[in-house]
Amino acid sequence: MKASRTGASAPPPHDRHPPKRHSPKRILFTLLAGVAGLAVCGVLVVVFALAMAYPNLPALDTLTDYRPKMPLRIFTADNVLIGEFGEERRTLVHFKDIPDVMKKAVLAIEDTGFYEHGGVDYLGIVRAAVHNATGGARQGASTITQQVARNFFLSSEQTLKRKAYEALLAWKIEKNLTKDQILEVYMNQIYLGQRAFGFSSAAQIYFGKDLKDITVAEAAMLAGLPKAPSAYNPVVNPKRARMRQQYILQRMHDLRYITDAQYAEAKDEQLKIKTDSTAFGVHAEYVAEMARQLVYEQFKEDTYTRGLNVFTTITKADQDAAYLALRRGVMDYERRHTYRGPEKYIEIPKTKADADEAIEAELAEHPDSDDIVAAIVLQAAPSGVTAVLASGEEIRIQGSGLSFAQGWLSPKAAETRRIRRGAVIRVSQDGGSSWNITQLPEVESAFVAVDPSDGQIRALVGGFDYNRSKFNHVTQAWRQPGSSFKPFIYSASLERGFSPATLINDAPISFDAGSTGGQAWEPKNYDAKYEGPMTMRRGLTKSKNMISIRILNKIGARYGQEYATRFGFDADKNPPYLTLALGAGATTPLQMSGAYSVFANGGYRISPYLISKVTDADGKVLSEARPERAGVEANRVIDERNAYLMDSMLRDVARYGTAAKAQATLKRPDIGGKTGTTNDSMDAWFAGYTPHLVGIAWMGYDQPRNLGNKETGGGLALPIWIGFMQKALKGVPVEERTVPGGLVQYGDEYYYAENPPGTGVQSLDVGTPSPQGEQKTRDAVRNELF
């Protein structure tokens, strides 16, 4: 059935009208409104979170009352830095004292808008974000204020929470500190490598100079360190450091911080970087360590953090003189003895790159000892040696530079000791530019000088090289003093009726075991020669063992032991046996310096001391030395007359005796002293003085052994003493001692007034000659001596 056209069913309503369509603009508006709404909500949430977090931010006390960890610093008496101890090496410097060029170099690379922004550089953040999003090398946008916030209060983790806190802290810092204060804190706190915190410390460590004295080029080099102290460290990575420096100089020039002329000069300047950042201007490592230990005993853990400044009694000039004299004396000894051969051998690779790497790695294991440098032999022949240094410089050694090791250049030399390709040797330069083969010494030495008026230590060298051995031979080496102990036995005898004119027999003598504390003893003179009766003065001048032994045997070993304690010697280290007459006990160079000071100052006991004062970081004196002084009668330990007579005899030792080279070289009549050589030449000493300076020199092996059959205190220790005194006494006037009351003169000799000739001990083991014959003998020996 067909449906009629009129009866057809009507279409549904929605088909009756066309659908409505939203315009693109309306859709976009809706989306933007939604995003904006979400953004506003997000901002409100963030603002609310920040508002809640702001009151909980840490207090800024560590910034507003900035007190950084300050290291312990040790200075000479004339204010030269010789040591620094602490985790952080820092020198606090105020804003006004930071040179303008250093501030500009830092701002140029770290935060050019520092004085404009409020703590956060929003444009910088956007710029860095765009740069990072486009695949460029990752950039940061932290301002100096943000870096201060991070360094003091936050970790270095890269999270949104930490970034938000960093921004909040930056705002808070900006509200509480001025821009100059913020920059001052930053430039004192930032880590710059080599344990250096702050630019003042870095200037000293990298360039060895005060911050105020740095050049534009040096400032740019230092300014490159905060970003990556290891990567841009000029000691470790000189090429990368220079590239960074050049970029900073360009930035400073572009920003008009420096002129065209300054830029041109700075970019071509060759910087002198201190490769040894721990080195100081004076070789006083043993002094610095002694001072550190003494201060730690008083201040404990505060020693390394509160910025203590320790002022020692040494002076730079005296310390330099002592160091050079000791090194020269030791190396002179080495040259007189056998070359021991190379320290090691390596196989040098054939390719240059591999060879350079192998040589560099090996030489790093053989650090230099000041001017004694390690080198690896590239070619060797009896006529010459070519070697390479750690710096890569090739050197040629020939002629006299080979003489010390000539025997080990022969093809016939033992393969295990011959100088050949790959051998690690030691070289040094003489006064000119020529090189010499040498070796590191096995022998050790020590030197100390004190002022006998109060005991202040003027110079102290505890060994040949502190970096090789930190054992301080001045304070820690208990060694036999040998003949240098004899004057104390002689001094004791003056109190028992002897005089310098007492005749004593220089003849062989023997003792049973009971007298020596051990076994039977038949002592000998050093040269095994005996001269018969001589005066006590002559016996000391010629260091005759038989004379000293007879004196001690007469006065008693127990008395000699007790008497020596007046000078500071330990009784338990000097047993009361006759061997004490030859210095068979034990002492240290420091103890010996105090003992000889008694002769130098007229009879007063003083105690050597090293630290004059300790101050805090603000200069407040925390402790100060109060030394015992000569001239105070409470400190007198021997009669003034005794000191005068001993000084008179010890001056003869330095004029005519075993130390005659002293006065011959220095041309001074006010020098006294005594050489010392122990049994089997295991220790060599010289103890000498003037009225205002005592010096003690020692040489020997750590494991005692013979120094050489012909080696003596006069040949080993005395030259060190002379080398020091030549500089220390320059310009110091000669001082003659006045004769004290209570002495009477008969002929050329002085006597105690109560013991004139004919009384007291007139002779010892020389029979019983008549007074006339005794005087004749004295005249004869005096004529022979003088």
Side-chain angles (χ1 to χ4, degrees):
M1 171 175 178
K2 289 185 179 179
S4 67
R5 190 175 292 175
T6 56
S9 60
H14 62 270
D15 288 337
R16 196 174 299 160
H17 302 287
K20 293 182 179 180
R21 297 182 183 276
H22 294 293
S23 68
K25 289 183 178 179
R26 185 172 181 179
I27 294 172
L28 180 62
F29 177 78
T30 302
L31 288 173
L32 289 174
V35 170
L38 289 172
V40 169
C41 291
V43 169
L44 290 173
V45 170
V46 170
V47 169
F48 177 76
L50 294 178
M52 294 296 291
Y54 191 87
N56 296 319
L57 291 175
L60 301 183
D61 294 348
T62 53
L63 292 181
T64 55
D65 186 22
Y66 180 53
R67 295 178 182 272
K69 287 183 178 180
M70 298 291 289
L72 169 71
R73 286 194 174 87
I74 317 291
F75 296 89
T76 65
D78 41 353
N79 294 314
V80 178
L81 182 66
I82 58 173
E84 195 171 44
F85 300 91
E87 294 179 10
E88 301 178 4
R89 302 168 69 180
R90 180 188 282 108
T91 302
L92 190 62
V93 58
H94 296 296
F95 185 81
K96 62 182 178 59
D97 298 320
I98 301 173
D100 194 51
V101 67
M102 189 71 254
K103 297 171 189 171
K104 288 179 176 177
V106 169
L107 294 176
I109 192 61
E110 291 294 329
D111 193 352
T112 53
F114 174 70
Y115 281 94
E116 283 75 46
H117 62 64
V120 178
D121 183 2
Y122 302 104
L123 289 178
I125 292 172
V126 172
R127 186 168 56 249
V130 170
H131 181 86
N132 296 340
T134 56
R138 187 169 182 80
Q139 286 186 354
S142 292
T143 64
I144 282 177
T145 313
Q146 286 175 280
Q147 291 183 55
V148 169
R150 182 167 63 246
N151 288 337
F152 275 89
F153 304 108
L154 302 172
S155 69
S156 58
E157 62 177 341
Q158 297 291 326
T159 64
L160 288 175
K161 181 181 177 180
R162 202 272 293 160
K163 285 287 186 182
Y165 268 97
E166 183 180 292
L168 281 174
L169 278 167
W171 289 329
K172 186 172 182 178
I173 290 169
E174 291 273 347
K175 287 180 179 297
N176 287 274
L177 277 76
T178 67
K179 286 288 188 180
D180 288 354
Q181 288 175 321
I182 295 169
L183 189 56
E184 177 182 312
V185 169
Y186 173 82
M187 296 189 76
N188 279 290
Q189 183 69 18
I190 195 71
Y191 178 63
L192 300 171
Q194 306 291 102
R195 288 180 37 237
F197 287 79
F199 287 92
S200 182
S201 179
Q204 276 290 347
I205 289 168
Y206 290 108
F207 302 117
K209 56 170 63 175
D210 291 338
L211 185 62
K212 62 182 175 61
D213 298 324
I214 61 169
T215 65
V216 173
E218 290 167 340
M221 180 67 79
L222 295 179
L225 290 166
K227 182 177 182 180
S230 296
Y232 299 122
N233 185 322
V235 175
V236 180
N237 295 304
K239 291 182 180 178
R240 293 181 68 177
R242 180 165 174 77
M243 289 174 61
R244 176 87 169 156
Q245 177 224 28
Q246 293 293 310
Y247 172 69
I248 293 172
L249 287 172
Q250 181 68 57
R251 287 278 298 159
M252 294 176 73
H253 183 247
D254 293 344
L255 292 166
R256 297 291 182 264
Y257 288 169
I258 55 176
T259 65
D260 293 345
Q262 286 177 307
Y263 174 64
E265 180 182 357
K267 70 187 183 72
D268 294 330
E269 183 178 331
Q270 295 298 313
L271 301 185
K272 294 180 180 179
I273 307 295
K274 283 174 59 180
T275 53
D276 182 3
S277 64
T278 63
F280 296 94
V282 185
H283 278 287
E285 297 88 348
Y286 291 98
V287 174
E289 175 58 18
M290 275 181 68
R292 182 198 68 80
Q293 293 178 17
L294 291 168
V295 172
Y296 184 82
E297 289 177 6
Q298 182 177 358
F299 295 95
K300 303 303 180 186
E301 293 305 319
D302 282 350
T303 299
Y304 308 116
T305 58
R306 62 182 291 187
L308 299 177
N309 295 312
V310 180
F311 295 89
T312 65
T313 55
I314 72 164
T315 62
K316 181 182 187 305
D318 286 342
Q319 185 66 22
D320 285 343
Y323 175 80
L324 292 173
L326 183 144
R327 299 268 300 190
R328 188 182 306 113
V330 170
M331 294 313 294
D332 285 347
Y333 169 82
E334 284 294 314
R335 281 187 287 271
R336 290 200 298 272
H337 293 269
T338 306
Y339 180 61
R340 295 184 295 275
E343 294 179 14
K344 191 178 178 181
Y345 297 93
I346 67 166
E347 192 68 35
I348 301 178
K350 294 182 179 179
T351 65
K352 187 178 188 308
D354 290 344
D356 290 346
E357 185 176 344
I359 289 170
E360 181 180 356
E362 185 58 40
L363 288 178
E365 300 297 317
H366 300 265
D368 297 343
S369 176
D370 201 351
D371 57 342
I372 302 174
V373 182
I376 290 182
V377 174
L378 301 177
Q379 295 178 332
S383 60
V385 171
T386 301
V388 62
L389 308 178
S391 63
E393 177 189 357
E394 286 191 14
I395 62 172
R396 180 72 177 168
I397 311 163
Q398 53 195 2
S400 61
L402 302 172
S403 58
F404 182 50
Q406 192 71 61
W408 301 106
L409 287 166
S410 170
K412 296 180 180 179
E415 188 70 13
T416 56
R417 297 179 69 182
R418 183 163 60 89
I419 296 178
R420 53 182 169 83
R421 180 175 171 82
V424 180
I425 63 173
R426 292 284 170 169
V427 296
S428 63
Q429 279 183 297
D430 56 21
S433 58
S434 60
W435 290 91
N436 305 282
I437 295 178
T438 186
Q439 64 186 0
L440 287 173
E442 292 180 346
V443 74
E444 272 295 354
S445 187
F447 183 84
V448 61
V450 305
D451 183 338
S453 67
D454 67 353
Q456 61 177 284
I457 297 172
R458 294 264 298 272
L460 185 150
V461 185
F464 184 80
D465 184 343
Y466 180 80
N467 294 317
R468 292 178 65 212
S469 173
K470 294 175 173 54
F471 184 80
N472 189 337
H473 297 83
V474 169
T475 59
Q476 296 175 288
W478 289 91
R479 308 292 290 234
Q480 288 190 358
S483 297
S484 62
F485 192 81
K486 289 176 181 176
F488 307 103
I489 303 301
Y490 278 62
S491 177
S493 75
L494 294 177
E495 297 304 304
R496 287 298 179 99
F498 284 67
S499 76
T502 297
L503 283 176
I504 305 171
N505 197 10
D506 177 32
I509 191 172
S510 61
F511 300 93
D512 58 29
S515 302
T516 64
Q519 56 189 10
W521 185 38
E522 293 186 10
K524 295 178 174 59
N525 282 333
Y526 174 77
D527 57 4
K529 295 179 180 178
Y530 306 92
E531 302 181 35
M534 63 175 60
T535 62
M536 193 167 81
R537 178 183 291 274
R538 179 175 170 82
L540 184 60
T541 302
K542 301 197 73 173
S543 195
K544 289 290 189 175
N545 291 344
M546 299 302 106
I547 304 298
S548 299
I549 293 168
R550 281 188 161 89
I551 291 173
L552 186 60
N553 189 42
K554 177 66 174 178
I555 66 174
R558 178 72 63 183
Y559 177 72
Q561 178 201 44
E562 293 173 354
Y563 188 86
T565 62
R566 301 186 187 190
F567 297 85
F569 294 112
D570 297 342
D572 61 335
K573 293 186 182 297
N574 297 278
Y577 300 114
L578 290 177
T579 51
L580 186 64
L582 305 185
T587 186
T588 66
L590 186 65
Q591 195 175 71
M592 192 71 92
S593 70
Y596 269 82
S597 291
V598 177
F599 295 140
N601 65 29
Y604 301 93
R605 170 86 174 273
I606 54 90
S607 297
Y609 69 99
L610 181 66
I611 296 175
S612 60
K613 66 178 178 179
V614 178
T615 71
D616 64 13
D618 297 322
K620 180 184 176 182
V621 176
L622 303 177
S623 66
E624 197 163 12
R626 292 178 176 81
E628 299 161 340
R629 298 183 182 277
V632 177
E633 284 306 308
N635 297 328
R636 179 175 290 286
V637 291
I638 66 172
D639 192 299
E640 183 181 12
R641 299 171 299 171
N642 187 311
Y644 180 86
L645 293 177
M646 287 307 306
D647 174 64
S648 171
M649 288 191 281
L650 289 169
R651 290 191 186 198
D652 279 355
V653 175
R655 184 181 297 119
Y656 309 111
T658 54
K661 188 177 179 181
Q663 289 200 20
T665 304
L666 298 173
K667 313 294 185 189
R668 297 178 65 101
D670 59 347
I671 293 170
K674 184 70 186 74
T675 55
T677 309
T678 62
N679 197 31
D680 293 328
S681 297
M682 291 187 181
D683 296 273
W685 294 80
F686 182 71
Y689 62 88
T690 67
H692 299 292
L693 189 60
V694 174
I696 309 295
W698 167 87
M699 192 181 294
Y701 289 97
D702 281 337
Q703 296 299 321
R705 70 174 196 253
N706 190 284
L707 287 161
N709 291 332
K710 295 184 178 180
E711 300 290 5
T712 64
L716 293 176
L718 178 58
I720 294 173
W721 188 91
I722 291 174
F724 169 77
M725 290 294 179
Q726 281 179 314
K727 295 182 179 178
L729 297 179
K730 192 173 184 179
V732 177
V734 170
E735 183 174 324
E736 290 292 352
R737 184 174 291 184
T738 57
V739 180
L743 286 179
V744 293
Q745 185 175 12
Y746 290 87
D748 295 329
E749 196 60 85
Y750 283 94
Y751 300 78
Y752 279 16
E754 63 270 26
N755 289 322
T759 64
V761 180
Q762 295 298 293
S763 63
L764 190 59
D765 292 348
V766 294
T768 54
S770 65
Q772 294 83 2
E774 200 169 87
Q775 185 62 48
K776 183 178 179 181
T777 304
R778 289 196 187 92
D779 292 340
V781 295
R782 186 179 296 114
N783 291 334
E784 182 183 343
L785 178 60
F786 302 126

